[in-house]
Amino acid sequence: MPKPLSLPFDPIARADELWKERWGSVPSMAAITSIMRAHQILLAQVDAVVKPYGLTFARYEALVLLTFSQRGELPMSKIGERLMVHPTSVTNTVDRLQKAGLVAKRPNPEDGRGTLASITDKGREVCDAATRELMAMDFGLSAYDDEQCREIFGLLRPLRVAAEDFDAS
């Protein structure tokens, strides 16, 4: 897909000006529009890196999570909790990883109804290779230095706390 031509103006700044004229100044509108556009840009860049490995960013995150676990495996429910996604999404993600030979599934011996997902050797190789490429392109954030990335994390943390993503106390 060819890259669209750059606009000769910032459409979000222009929308902010028009918003001010019609409804008054609401900086949160420009902020959320910028965040949503940044999300689109970053996801496209990251997905372009992981796609040759047969991954989406969501599948990549699941592989990374499994590599972080002590035994290379986690209950499906725990994967959903850690990735903060619906159980159906976890099932879909893990099933696709299993089909690609990157993850194996087995009954959870500690929970008769549960399933464990474990990363395979091939999954580790793919995860490591994709990670090297993502790190080389700074996960799409090369326009920022390390300190600015820390600032972005800090700026977004209160939003995540307010959404009760985790217990910040």
Side-chain angles (χ1 to χ4, degrees), residues 8 10 19 28 45 48 50 60 71-72 89 94 114 118 142 161 168-169:
D10 180 346
W19 192 281
S28 57
Q45 290 178 0
V50 298
Y60 169 76
R71 295 183 309 229
S89 296
V94 172
S118 56
S142 59
V161 169
S169 55

Side-chain angles (χ1 to χ4, degrees), residues 17-94:
E17 291 168 16
L18 295 170
W19 192 281
K20 284 177 194 169
E21 290 173 16
R22 183 157 191 174
W23 290 297
S25 180
V26 182
S28 57
M29 186 285 299
I32 191 165
T33 305
S34 293
I35 290 168
M36 299 303 262
R37 179 62 185 134
H39 175 262
Q40 292 171 335
I41 292 166
L42 293 169
L43 196 55
Q45 290 178 0
V46 168
D47 276 347
V49 169
V50 298
K51 186 177 182 178
Y53 297 99
L55 298 174
T56 60
F57 192 64
R59 288 182 217 147
Y60 169 76
E61 286 181 303
L63 286 178
V64 169
L65 181 61
L66 289 171
T67 66
F68 287 166
S69 66
Q70 288 180 354
R71 295 183 309 229
E73 64 182 8
L74 287 169
M76 299 278 280
S77 59
K78 195 65 83 181
I79 293 171
E81 279 176 28
R82 302 268 170 84
L83 297 179
M84 295 174 272
V85 297
H86 191 273
T88 305
S89 296
V90 174
T91 299
N92 183 25
T93 297
V94 172

